Amino acid sequence: MLLQVPDVLTADQVASCRKTLEAAEWVDGRITAGHQSARAKNNLQLREDVDEAKQLGDAILVALESNPLFMSAALPLKVFPPLFNRYQDGQSFGNHVDNAIRQVAGTPHRVRTDLSATLFFSNPDEYDGGELIVEDTYGVHSVKLPAGHLILYPASSVHHVRPVTRGVRFASFFWIQSMVRDDGERTLLFDLDVAIQRLMNDAPDHRSVVELTSLYHNLLRRWADT
Ligand code: NI
């Protein structure tokens, strides 16, 4: 599933994060890359252990927890502490896949990367290029969203970021270990949840609301790990 989650952050939150990001110290992005992806990667990143990264990352996690669309689509078990990158002057990230398992730096915790997420901190008119290109079974998708919006896509997909030829592209990126590991099963649950929500809005007293909600939870119970 490839899903846009709009307005994860408010305009005020984006503006405040941008101030922090613009003043931060940036280092070579290859510090967190795996073997293959280090060859393809050319960008800048915040170090994971700096205060700015932790503070902004925590704000993102809080926003996600109260975002019903994100929660319904990702069914998160663990979210990797958000990382931050910056592309400018022709920088890009060639075709790669994300590592299946990520260790949270300085901890014994590991996250299986079921879903990848990119949260945009620059608006599309601030830079040229910089599209996130995701290849899945349905084809090739080009993603460039307004600041504060997030894209969720299967971490199993091959993807790349096109060169940024003007301006600066700031973003946060991270991974989610879902309670439902399989993308197909998770997508079925999401589609069912969306349909139930719509039915509850349109016909809250319809007897199918209870039956379908029961079906949702019984499927979740069958497929979820906690
Ligand atoms: Ni990637």
Side-chain angles (χ1 to χ4, degrees):
M1 177 206 304
L2 193 80
L3 181 78
Q4 290 187 24
V5 184
D7 301 316
V8 168
L9 299 178
T10 63
D12 283 351
Q13 285 175 311
V14 169
S16 148
C17 291
R18 270 292 289 268
K19 259 191 203 149
T20 307
L21 291 173
E22 281 164 26
E25 188 191 337
W26 294 84
V27 298
D28 190 319
R30 278 170 288 209
I31 49 169
T32 59
H35 214 64
Q36 184 273 327
S37 56
R39 296 164 60 95
K41 192 171 186 181
N42 174 24
N43 65 4
L44 298 168
Q45 258 180 239
L46 284 193
R47 291 176 55 93
E48 288 167 63
D49 54 1
V50 299
D51 286 345
E52 291 97 324
K54 288 181 190 164
Q55 176 206 326
L56 296 183
D58 286 347
I60 292 170
L61 295 180
V62 168
L64 290 175
E65 263 171 41
S66 61
N67 187 296
L69 181 58
F70 173 82
M71 295 303 280
S72 171
L75 295 169
L77 179 60
K78 302 181 204 171
V79 182
F80 193 89
L83 301 171
F84 296 86
N85 60 20
R86 167 180 185 147
Y87 293 81
Q88 61 196 59
D89 303 326
Q91 288 181 319
S92 64
F93 194 165
N95 248 358
H96 68 281
V97 287
D98 295 343
N99 286 356
I101 308 288
R102 307 286 316 201
Q103 179 105 24
V104 180
T107 78
H109 303 300
R110 285 191 284 261
V111 175
R112 186 187 66 229
T113 60
D114 297 323
L115 288 156
S116 295
T118 296
L119 174 59
F120 289 80
F121 277 104
S122 298
N123 277 308
D125 61 0
E126 293 182 87
Y127 59 100
D128 290 335
E131 296 87 354
L132 169 68
I133 309 290
V134 180
E135 296 175 22
D136 68 8
T137 44
Y138 299 106
V140 177
H141 311 273
S142 174
V143 183
K144 187 169 179 174
L145 302 180
H149 293 216
L150 175 135
I151 186 81
L152 208 52
Y153 59 101
S156 54
S157 63
V158 173
H159 53 274
H160 68 273
V161 176
R162 295 194 56 235
V164 172
T165 54
R166 175 188 65 88
V168 182
R169 175 197 195 267
F170 290 103
S172 173
F173 64 105
F174 51 94
W175 300 274
I176 297 106
Q177 179 171 338
S178 178
M179 290 188 284
V180 177
R181 163 188 226 152
D182 182 79
D183 188 64
E185 291 172 352
R186 200 185 321 110
T187 302
L188 289 174
L189 286 168
F190 176 64
D191 291 346
L192 181 55
D193 192 25
V194 169
I196 292 169
Q197 298 302 329
R198 193 180 301 126
L199 184 59
M200 278 175 72
N201 259 320
D202 295 352
D205 299 323
H206 199 291
R207 63 184 179 152
S208 292
V209 169
V210 175
E211 289 163 4
L212 290 169
T213 303
S214 164
L215 178 62
Y216 176 86
H217 283 284
N218 287 333
L219 287 172
L220 184 60
R221 191 174 291 111
R222 176 174 288 231
W223 290 334
D225 294 305
T226 57

